[in-house]
Amino acid sequence: MMRSVRAMALGWMLAGCMMACTAAFASESKGVVTLNGLPVPGVTVTATQGTEKVQVVTGPGGGYVFADLADGKWTVTVDMLCFKPMTQEVTVGAGAADGKWELTMLPVAEILAKATAVKVEAGPAVALTTRPAEGAAVKSGSAPEAPRVQDESAKSAAADGFLINGTSSNASTSQYSMAQAFGNTRSSKSLYSYALGVVYDSSALNARPYSITGFDTGKPGYNRVSFTGSFGGPLNIPHFMPHGPNLFIGYRGTRNEDSETLPGLVPTDAQRALATNVQAAALLALYPHANEAGSTQYNYQTAVLNSLHRDAFQIRADKSVTPRNQLFGSLEFSSTRERNVSLFGFVDDTDVIGLTTNVNYQHRFSQRLFEKAGYVFSRQRTRVTPETFAGVNNFSANNGIMGNDQEVSQWGPPTLAFSDGITTLTDAVQAFNRNRTDSGNYQVSLNKPHHNVTLGGDLRREQFNVNTQSDPRGTFTFTGAATGEALGDFLAGTPDTSSIAFGNPDKYLRQTAYDLYITDDWRARPNLTINAGLRYEYGAPVTELKGRLVNLSIAPQFGAVTPVIAYALGGSGLPTSLVRPDRLGIQPRVGVSFRPIAGSTLVLKGGYGIYDDTNVYEATALALAQQSPLSKSLDVSNGTGCALSLANGFQACGTTTADTFAVDPNFRVGYAQTWQLSAQRDLPASLVGTLSYLGIKGTRGVQEYLPNTYPVGGVNPCTGVCPSGYVFRTSNGGSSREAGTAQLRRRLKNGFTASVQYTYSKSIDNDAVIGGQGGAAVGTAATSATSGTATIAQNWRNLRGERGLSNFDQRHVVIGSVQYTSGQGLGGGSLMRGAAGRYLKEWTVVATVNAASGMPETPIYLAATPGTGVTGAIRASVTGANLYAAPIGKHLNAAAYTAPTLGQYGNAGRNSLEGPGQFTLNTSLARTFRVKDKLNLDARIDATNILNHVTFTSWDAIIGGPSGVSGAPYIQNPTFGSPIAANSMRSLQTTLRLRY
């Protein structure tokens, strides 16, 4: 059995899209039927799953929609008089691809034979009155029942269908003539579709943002405009390409200009006058002067203007080369230019260009055997330019701050971080990154009466071409350890810790990954379906093209460390990735769908699967590429034998290593085991009820800790040489999550549908990086996986003490939605005529509410871990006071925590306090106006947070830092328990789209 630990968040996401047969809910399935590339209306499309059968008819554009199919495997049959019937297995579920069907005409002899066997009645055809509405589905269960239309909101079949059904009234001179479509087209215009759209969003109708400072904050002005356009149809060029592929071209452009009010806490004029250090005085000049009074949390706010320009193009083409061969592909190009201005007035530009293209080939050996092969190429280039300093102002060198990167592109000031609430001074880092992925896939599908077998594989080659530095200008942290005040330490030029990482800027990382899989969708009985599969997946550890990776070879008991360079391995036996590969990627999966009672709508589903997390290597490789001797990489703290200053703060001293990161060479890929059970049943009044349970267990999760460290104020237990100052990464973490969900959904009837879903869950772990995407924390320990860094253990000798609520744990979540379309169904006013019908019909109103409890947070005592330059890993101690008995103006009680007792670690648990709850209500109003035949105008208004309800993102959970004065209490953070930021207030967005 596998022993590794898998990241739990990845398992959570994968479990949601596990196997189609294990899904508990219904989804939409759609497609298009063509003949020689032209859309065909009036085709009967039937979906069958066990004893359940649903039927629709294609509309004028050849499209069909099954609006409410249960997720899982369905057998779809396409049938039309004079054409060969087609049957294919499809998977219904979120993200499933649209179906594509190309009709093939029967031989003339066979058509004539069938025609002579059918008695033709005289007179016009009236069979449409008994057929389902366009896009609507008729279901039949195991017990006979009258056909019922599943979606009364679907439009009735267009006149185009009459031709296919045998009408004789089709002369263009007749008052009963139809709109142009397949079979009666007078020109090629009807074969093409056009659309133009504009989305205009202005602050004129929006609410003012919530002011977390308490100061008067004006409503920021902005203008956001998006343009959309599309064209679709066959590419027919006379004498050159008379039967070209079906082509779709789309464009979306965005032009945003946003103003934003940024608050902060800056040094006052009186505090500035106390500066006794030359470098501190120069850095103070970068801070704006306070412009507000009356608050200890904020004394400054300013309005900044940010801009975003984005252009995106998409081209898709598909072509039936022969009746058995189809070729299709797409190309997408995007360009994004963004300019952001910080509270300090620093300007940073980001330029991103992306290109993705794919080509696919599908061959049909027979009606039951198919093969498909594809190739995908994607490339993304990202350039970040700090306009204020790069190539303009070498701030550090000009002001005597030595030891950081002096490259022109990395000019600028060091980062300054304070434990007493002073706003962090920082600027973006110059970067020029180019990532590329080449992947190929192959799949064979065999459809038999009781088995649908799929066999395939994927091969992926990834390139991460990075040209940037981790921390080229360095970081200083001030906690008050020297003078008793964090700002006082800064004014005296004495940082508590410093960190830096630069050198070896260009890194060419490479990774190869592949997988093989086989699945069998077995209809064991009419009421029992089993989907079983086996997947093997391997992702190789990331290497560097020139072997420029550095790890630490660690002696037993962490007694010594020696750098190991990939390009100089010699006979060490390690691969150039410096991490041994983990090839045990076997992942079995099984799902069962069972209808226990004949004639009942009760369906039971269950499944189990194992999912590997092969994305853990990239962040590790980036950290290994920024190591000594190829790079200057330090993480140190001020103290005896290591005197730090702003002028000379980036130096190695004491027993601190010259490297800041190491990984276990036997690091293993984590995995998650997921299991799911659900029960679904139709209820009276068009209701559907679903109960589901989801369990996940992660194994071999990432853990990070600081060897040879000890509590603040304690005595170092090491008596010899005990190297410290580096983060060690292993794969011994674990995680678990259990969730129960209840959903009640009303099917669409008379234009009304609604659903409400409640989830109760709990997730716990001692995994430093859930999902595997975090990087090594250098200089500070992040408190959430979303920050891109890992949570470093407080006590490296007690990793079990890190077990606590997961960063994403949200105990209660309620999601509700209501949708109503006027004039749908008899009960919805479908017979409205005159002015009432003209103005009140076909309006669609949607309201969605999302309410949830808060995310967990960790109370941090911001002091340096002895022997390192890492701050943020030490937790506070609990006093026993009520945490939520907060004083006026705060949301948490600071008296609930205190500094850890000298020589001991803080006893507050990781993620032991709850962040702010979440609530939002969004609405939309939409209607399609038919300007004239084939010319439609789609109008839509979206309102976000329509109630203008204030919700906060998180609380400030830093309780303070050391006082620096013997016997004095610790320095309390005045902003502890205050909100970090507020979510957006009410905003309105208008969308207009013209379709032809």
Side-chain angles (χ1 to χ4, degrees):
M1 173 173 279
M2 297 182 230
R3 302 182 304 273
S4 34
V5 182
R6 232 346 127 8
M8 184 172 133
L10 177 70
W12 185 12
M13 291 185 293
L14 287 173
C17 58
M18 203 164 134
M19 287 167 290
C21 67
T22 65
F25 309 115
S27 299
E28 178 183 88
S29 179
K30 58 184 178 180
V32 63
V33 181
T34 58
L35 175 65
N36 294 327
L38 305 181
V40 184
V43 181
T44 301
V45 185
T46 306
T48 306
Q49 185 186 66
T51 59
E52 188 170 13
K53 180 182 294 185
V54 188
Q55 193 175 81
V56 298
V57 177
T58 59
Y64 66 87
V65 177
F66 292 104
D68 195 21
L69 291 185
D71 289 3
K73 296 285 187 179
W74 288 77
T75 299
V76 177
T77 301
V78 174
D79 188 23
M80 186 176 183
L81 187 64
C82 300
F83 295 92
K84 293 181 180 179
M86 293 181 291
T87 301
Q88 185 174 327
E89 186 75 17
V90 301
T91 299
V92 177
D98 294 351
K100 294 179 181 293
W101 305 83
E102 179 69 16
L103 292 176
T104 301
M105 186 166 287
L106 292 170
V108 176
E110 188 173 344
I111 295 175
L112 294 175
K114 289 188 175 183
T116 57
V118 178
K119 181 180 180 181
V120 181
E121 298 287 345
V126 293
L128 282 178
T129 58
T130 62
R131 298 178 64 97
E134 174 196 346
V138 177
K139 285 192 175 182
S140 60
S142 56
E145 60 176 341
R148 59 186 176 89
V149 177
Q150 183 189 56
D151 184 356
E152 286 83 357
S153 69
K155 304 174 184 65
S156 61
D160 306 46
F162 275 56
L163 174 66
I164 304 302
N165 292 320
T167 180
S168 59
S169 299
N170 194 32
S172 60
T173 57
S174 169
Q175 60 176 323
Y176 304 107
S177 62
M178 303 175 299
Q180 299 171 17
F182 169 74
N184 73 329
T185 304
R186 291 176 293 178
S187 69
S188 61
K189 291 183 179 180
S190 65
L191 302 179
Y192 299 94
S193 62
Y194 312 85
L196 294 174
V198 59
V199 178
Y200 178 69
D201 188 11
S202 171
S203 61
L205 299 178
N206 292 356
R208 296 173 58 181
Y210 180 81
S211 174
I212 61 174
T213 64
F215 305 136
D216 182 59
T217 302
K219 182 171 67 174
Y222 62 77
N223 289 289
R224 302 170 184 167
V225 183
S226 294
F227 305 94
T228 61
S230 66
F231 164 82
L235 182 61
N236 297 333
I237 304 177
H239 309 296
F240 176 72
M241 192 184 294
H243 301 290
N246 280 329
L247 188 68
F248 173 84
I249 301 175
Y251 165 77
R252 183 179 181 88
T254 301
R255 300 294 183 268
N256 293 348
E257 300 289 339
D258 294 2
S259 70
E260 180 183 8
T261 300
L262 300 177
L265 181 64
V266 301
T268 63
D269 290 342
Q271 291 169 331
R272 292 169 183 265
L274 300 177
T276 59
N277 179 270
V278 174
Q279 288 75 33
L283 289 165
L284 275 173
L286 298 177
Y287 275 88
H289 288 266
N291 58 9
E292 300 285 355
S295 172
T296 60
Q297 302 177 36
Y298 303 96
N299 61 5
Y300 178 78
Q301 66 178 10
T302 185
V304 299
L305 181 65
N306 301 319
S307 64
L308 182 146
H309 290 186
R310 178 182 293 120
D311 296 284
F313 296 89
Q314 183 186 61
I315 299 176
R316 296 196 308 267
D318 64 85
K319 171 66 177 176
S320 296
V321 182
T322 68
R324 293 177 178 266
N325 299 280
Q326 187 174 22
L327 189 66
F328 53 96
S330 66
L331 184 147
E332 298 180 19
F333 173 83
S334 63
S335 174
T336 302
R337 290 86 65 198
E338 189 171 5
R339 168 163 289 201
N340 290 303
V341 183
S342 73
L343 178 142
F344 303 92
F346 302 160
V347 179
D348 301 315
D349 291 341
T350 302
D351 184 7
V352 180
I353 294 179
L355 174 67
T356 301
T357 182
N358 70 80
V359 59
N360 298 275
Y361 170 77
Q362 182 171 301
H363 174 71
R364 175 171 56 85
F365 294 98
S366 67
Q367 293 292 339
R368 297 185 179 277
L369 183 61
F370 301 83
E371 70 171 348
K372 180 181 177 182
Y375 168 73
V376 179
F377 168 83
S378 66
R379 188 177 188 274
Q380 180 172 289
R381 190 216 71 184
T382 303
R383 185 191 296 274
V384 179
T385 305
E387 296 285 355
T388 304
F389 296 102
V392 177
N393 180 4
N394 190 355
F395 183 92
S396 293
N398 293 340
N399 293 281
I401 301 173
M402 309 305 294
N404 53 13
D405 194 355
Q406 295 302 303
E407 282 291 328
V408 174
S409 61
Q410 303 297 350
W411 285 356
T415 296
L416 307 178
F418 301 85
S419 64
D420 57 2
I422 296 292
T423 301
T424 298
L425 184 143
T426 189
D427 194 18
V429 174
Q430 178 86 20
F432 182 55
N433 303 332
R434 293 143 296 154
N435 297 337
R436 169 177 170 171
T437 300
D438 295 85
S439 64
N441 60 81
Y442 180 78
Q443 179 178 291
V444 176
S445 300
L446 175 62
N447 303 326
K448 302 189 72 175
H450 297 287
H451 293 269
N452 293 316
V453 180
T454 302
L455 174 67
D458 303 274
L459 175 64
R460 185 176 71 253
R461 178 67 174 173
E462 293 186 302
Q463 300 181 16
F464 308 100
N465 303 304
V466 179
N467 194 328
T468 188
Q469 311 279 13
S470 296
D471 189 12
R473 297 189 290 268
T475 298
F476 292 118
T477 302
F478 303 90
T479 64
T483 65
E485 293 183 356
L487 183 60
D489 288 0
F490 167 67
L491 298 176
T494 309
D496 190 20
T497 68
S498 70
S499 62
I500 196 166
F502 72 92
N504 189 32
D506 56 328
K507 311 164 185 71
Y508 303 97
L509 307 180
R510 301 290 185 267
Q511 184 183 34
T512 300
Y514 58 84
D515 61 73
L516 299 170
Y517 58 88
I518 181 171
T519 62
D520 181 14
D521 185 12
W522 175 32
R523 292 175 179 79
R525 298 177 59 186
N527 62 341
L528 176 63
T529 300
I530 300 175
N531 188 301
L534 183 66
R535 180 183 180 91
Y536 175 79
E537 186 172 7
Y538 172 69
V542 175
T543 61
E544 206 276 332
L545 190 63
K546 301 179 181 180
R548 295 174 299 179
L549 300 178
V550 182
N551 198 9
L552 295 178
S553 177
I554 301 174
Q557 305 302 316
F558 296 91
V561 296
T562 305
V564 178
I565 307 175
Y567 64 69
L569 284 173
S572 66
L574 283 173
T576 55
S577 62
L578 302 181
V579 177
R580 295 183 176 90
D582 183 0
R583 301 183 185 277
L584 190 62
I586 301 174
Q587 304 164 58
R589 300 164 191 183
V590 63
V592 178
S593 181
F594 178 54
R595 190 187 298 271
I597 305 173
S600 172
T601 61
L602 176 64
V603 177
L604 304 179
K605 299 180 182 180
Y608 171 83
I610 294 179
Y611 300 87
D612 278 0
D613 177 13
T614 57
N615 297 319
V616 294
Y617 291 121
E618 181 186 352
T620 297
L622 285 172
L624 294 177
Q626 200 79 76
Q627 297 267 79
S628 176
L630 306 179
S631 169
K632 182 177 182 179
S633 183
L634 296 172
D635 212 348
V636 297
S637 59
N638 200 3
T640 305
C642 190
L644 300 181
S645 67
L646 287 174
N648 189 22
F650 305 118
Q651 56 178 322
C653 50
T655 59
T656 303
T657 64
D659 291 300
T660 59
F661 179 76
V663 62
D664 183 353
N666 295 314
F667 184 90
R668 290 292 175 261
V669 170
Y671 65 89
Q673 301 177 70
T674 68
W675 53 95
Q676 184 181 37
L677 298 172
S678 70
Q680 184 181 74
R681 182 173 181 178
D682 287 352
L683 301 173
S686 299
L687 297 176
V688 179
T690 304
L691 296 176
S692 61
Y693 163 79
L694 173 66
I696 306 174
K697 184 174 188 314
T699 311
R700 289 183 181 169
V702 176
Q703 287 186 317
E704 290 191 352
Y705 53 88
L706 301 164
N708 296 318
T709 56
Y710 50 94
V712 175
V715 177
N716 189 348
C718 179
T719 57
V721 177
C722 303
S724 60
Y726 66 96
V727 173
F728 187 66
R729 172 173 282 203
T730 64
S731 53
N732 298 316
S735 57
S736 66
R737 181 179 188 268
E738 294 184 274
T741 300
Q743 186 197 57
L744 185 64
R745 179 168 58 91
R746 185 187 190 273
R747 298 183 186 274
L748 185 62
K749 183 178 181 181
N750 290 328
F752 178 76
T753 181
S755 69
V756 60
Q757 177 178 301
Y758 168 72
T759 299
Y760 176 82
S761 64
K762 185 175 183 180
S763 177
I764 57 177
D765 68 81
N766 61 357
D767 188 328
V769 187
I770 291 293
Q773 292 303 306
V778 178
T780 185
T783 57
S784 77
T786 57
S787 65
T789 55
T791 302
I792 299 177
Q794 175 181 235
N795 183 356
W796 72 291
R797 296 183 182 276
N798 180 24
L799 298 183
R800 292 184 177 180
E802 298 302 307
R803 189 168 180 82
L805 296 177
S806 299
N807 297 326
F808 55 83
D809 179 76
Q810 208 164 20
R811 197 60 46 82
H812 307 277
V813 177
V814 178
I815 301 174
S817 66
V818 176
Q819 175 181 318
Y820 177 70
T821 301
S822 61
Q824 300 294 316
L826 295 178
S830 60
L831 300 180
M832 284 191 296
R833 294 292 184 268
R838 185 180 309 113
Y839 297 114
L840 299 181
K841 287 174 63 173
E842 299 183 355
W843 288 97
T844 298
V845 182
V846 180
T848 304
V849 62
N850 192 322
S853 53
M855 299 283 197
E857 298 183 49
T858 302
I860 295 296
Y861 178 66
L862 199 63
T865 300
T868 74
V870 175
T871 57
I874 298 176
R875 300 195 286 270
S877 286
V878 177
T879 64
N882 187 348
L883 173 61
Y884 301 102
I888 297 176
K890 297 292 181 66
H891 298 269
L892 298 175
N893 181 13
Y897 297 109
T898 187
T901 303
L902 294 179
Q904 298 181 12
Y905 289 108
N907 60 12
R910 182 176 71 87
N911 284 338
S912 56
L913 65 85
E914 184 177 309
Q918 301 298 304
F919 176 86
T920 184
L921 174 62
N922 302 328
T923 61
S924 68
L925 177 66
R927 182 180 175 181
T928 296
F929 296 89
R930 292 162 180 79
V931 182
K932 64 176 184 178
D933 185 29
K934 300 181 186 175
L935 186 61
N936 298 314
L937 177 65
D938 298 329
R940 182 183 180 94
I941 300 177
D942 292 278
T944 303
N945 191 9
I946 192 171
L947 297 180
N948 208 32
H949 180 75
V950 179
T951 58
F952 302 112
T953 57
S954 60
W955 311 130
D956 185 342
I958 297 177
I959 70 161
S963 69
V965 180
S966 178
Y970 76 99
I971 305 172
Q972 285 192 349
N973 174 20
T975 62
F976 175 81
S978 301
I980 298 294
N983 291 322
S984 299
M985 304 305 288
R986 181 177 57 243
S987 64
L988 299 178
Q989 183 182 78
T990 303
T991 303
L992 296 175
R993 184 169 178 262
L994 190 64
R995 292 183 291 111
Y996 175 74

